[in-house]
């Protein structure tokens, strides 16, 4: 059977079977056939669940296909796993707010705690997929595989990429080598780490990249290959836990630029932001308005993180951080820096402690 051959390829090529006892390769059935891993498929919406008016229409589509419909479109999944589908939402990912993010995370966390769940695949819109993936990477307390997949083209499109992304996500979720590598993103045959992968192009199928760090592996014609593992703290090694979170604090992202104004900082502060991430210029450098905004934020007890609008590279700490009370985002882009800052603020408002988090996660 194709599914069994695929799992054999995964074990052969991965060089890492850690975690197999927790899931993946389970005991044989009474008939001598290996039991299939049990994977929960959680639908949240996105282009992978979208249909447009005709096959050449690649935008202006309607999100709405259910997990049952996604499963029906890829019957080959049944050869890889026993699948339980669940619809957590069915929205464009731009509509995901903190409440829905928490709802998704709590459901994934609960499922991971069940002994009859070996791994999880989540379908998600690509626009904010990396935010959900990174949040899950920081709060889930399990080494079981959690794989997010999306699509750049609606299900109705010529060369729709969703079905193969979904199938590949199942190959990864049922692969022993996927255990303990943090939350994973499966797009365009590549396995990305939630910590590093980012949507870096608006429409092409290979939109997800991990510029400086690279991908963790790939699915090559049906076999899963892991090449590397993330070193930043995640999942079972993370200090953040869902149990400690009531609601997430309000954190805004402000984009710096020539001629920026102080008003946006004042608006964020007066709207009750507990943190501000600045998408700064270059190495997180601050325009005069951003600098004044950071000073004003500090006077109001609002944490400020300097990230970068550049899209690649590390924002390094600076002597100015000590003066302004700001924190350097390391290699987190502004939207991932917001995710970490929301969690870190739940534990401390101290700039040194926040910097430690940005250094470690
Ligand atoms: N608009 C879509 C979303 O839900 C984009 C996508 O999924 O590719 O993010």
């Amino acid at each position: 059977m194709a599914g069994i051959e695929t799992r054999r390829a995964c074990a052969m090529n991965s060089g890492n079977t850690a975690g197999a006892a927790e899931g993946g390769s389970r005991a044989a059935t009474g008939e001598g056939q290996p039991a299939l891993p049990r994977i929960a498929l959680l639908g949240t919406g996105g282009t992978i669940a979208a249909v447009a008016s005709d096959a050449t229409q690649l935008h202006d589509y309607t999100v709405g296909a259910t997990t049952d419909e996604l499963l029906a479109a890829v019957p080959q999944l049944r050869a890889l796993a026993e699948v339980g589908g669940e619809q957590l939402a069915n929205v464009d990912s731009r509509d995901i707010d903190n409440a829905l993010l928490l709802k998704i995370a709590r459901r994934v966390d609960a499922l991971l705690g069940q002994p009859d769940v070996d791994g999880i695949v989540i379908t998600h819109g690509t626009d904010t997929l990396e935010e959900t993936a990174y949040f899950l990477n920081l709060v889930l307390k399990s080494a079981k595989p959690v794989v997010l997949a999306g699509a750049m083209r609606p299900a109705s499109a010529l060369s729709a990429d969703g079905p193969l992304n979904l199938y590949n996500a199942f190959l990864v979720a049922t692969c022993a080598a996927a255990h303990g590598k943090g939350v994973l993103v499966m797009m365009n045959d590549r396995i990305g780490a939630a910590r590093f992968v980012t949507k870096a192009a608006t429409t092409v199928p290979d939109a997800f990249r991990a510029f400086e760090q690279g991908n963790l592996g790939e699915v090559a014609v049906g076999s899963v290959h892991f090449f590397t593992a993330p070193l930043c703290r995640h999942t079972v090694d993370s200090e953040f836990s869902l149990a400690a979170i009531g609601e997430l604090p309000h954190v805004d992202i402000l984009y710096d630029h020539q001629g920026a104004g102080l008003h946006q900082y004042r608006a964020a502060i007066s709207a009750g932001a507990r943190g501000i991430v600045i998408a700064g210029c270059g190495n997180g450098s601050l325009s005069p308005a951003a600098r004044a905004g950071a000073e004003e934020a500090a006077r109001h007890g609002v944490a400020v993180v300097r990230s970068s609008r550049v899209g690649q590279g590390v924002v390094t700490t600076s002597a100015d951080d000590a003066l302004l009370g700001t924190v350097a985002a390391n290699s987190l882009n502004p939207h991932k820096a917001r995710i970490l800052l929301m969690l870190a603020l739940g534990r401390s408002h101290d700039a040194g402690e926040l910097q430690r988090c940005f250094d470690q996660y």
Side-chain angles (χ1 to χ4, degrees), residues 90 112 186:
N90 212 346
L112 289 172
M186 185 70 236

Side-chain angles (χ1 to χ4, degrees), residues 52-306:
S53 52
D54 71 76
T56 57
Q57 176 69 30
L58 303 181
H59 66 111
D60 293 339
Y61 39 70
T62 308
V63 173
T66 62
T67 48
D68 286 346
E69 289 168 315
L70 295 179
L71 280 169
V74 192
Q76 297 84 351
L77 296 175
R78 302 284 184 191
L80 301 181
E82 272 176 43
V83 189
E86 206 173 306
Q87 197 75 51
L88 291 188
N90 212 346
V91 296
D92 203 291
S93 68
R94 65 185 171 220
D95 295 331
I96 295 180
D97 58 13
N98 285 352
L100 182 50
L101 181 65
L102 277 172
K103 178 184 163 189
I104 294 168
R106 291 195 203 287
R107 185 61 190 143
V108 176
D109 188 50
L111 285 166
L112 289 172
Q114 289 182 203
D116 61 349
V117 172
D118 297 317
I120 295 190
V121 171
I122 304 169
T123 53
H124 198 292
T126 61
D127 288 350
T128 70
L129 185 149
E130 67 202 73
E131 291 163 66
T132 300
Y134 186 49
F135 185 77
L136 295 175
N137 196 54
L138 294 173
V139 298
L140 298 177
K141 295 281 178 261
S142 173
K144 292 178 188 175
V146 175
V147 186
L148 280 83
M152 294 299 294
R153 296 175 178 145
S156 48
L158 293 175
S159 296
D161 52 337
L164 189 57
N165 286 342
L166 185 60
Y167 182 78
N168 285 343
F170 270 74
L171 287 179
V172 173
T174 54
C175 175
H179 285 244
K181 293 205 169 51
V183 172
L184 303 171
V185 174
M186 185 70 236
M187 289 290 294
N188 202 42
D189 297 357
R190 298 196 176 90
I191 308 165
R195 168 63 175 78
F196 300 126
V197 86
T198 188
K199 186 173 184 179
T202 52
T203 64
V204 292
D206 67 331
F208 281 75
R209 320 266 171 87
F211 292 107
E212 304 295 342
Q213 304 88 1
N215 292 295
L216 300 189
E218 66 183 72
V219 179
V221 292
S223 69
V224 178
H225 299 253
F226 275 97
F227 304 128
T228 185
L231 293 178
C232 298
R233 292 175 69 179
H234 60 76
T235 56
V236 291
D237 189 35
S238 168
E239 70 200 76
F240 305 111
S241 99
L242 286 168
I245 300 170
E247 65 178 24
L248 292 164
H250 170 178
V251 172
D252 281 332
I253 300 172
L254 302 180
Y255 200 97
D256 205 10
H257 53 90
Q258 291 182 348
L262 181 57
H263 58 279
Q264 47 185 348
Y265 295 84
R266 292 193 166 141
I269 294 163
S270 68
R274 302 311 310 141
I276 294 171
V277 174
I278 303 176
C281 308
N283 182 8
S285 89
L286 303 182
S287 67
R291 200 182 167 86
E295 285 168 342
E296 200 152 321
R299 282 196 293 279
H300 287 82
V302 178
V304 176
V305 172
R306 295 182 301 109

Side-chain angles (χ1 to χ4, degrees), residues 4-52:
I4 292 166
E5 280 165 19
T6 299
R7 284 196 301 286
R8 195 180 299 138
C10 158
M12 252 176 14
N13 292 305
S14 66
N16 175 3
T17 53
E22 202 188 346
S25 338
R26 289 171 35 243
T29 62
E31 297 79 47
Q33 293 292 319
L36 290 174
R38 294 156 299 191
I39 302 295
L41 173 65
L42 305 182
T44 71
T47 299
I48 194 168
V51 178

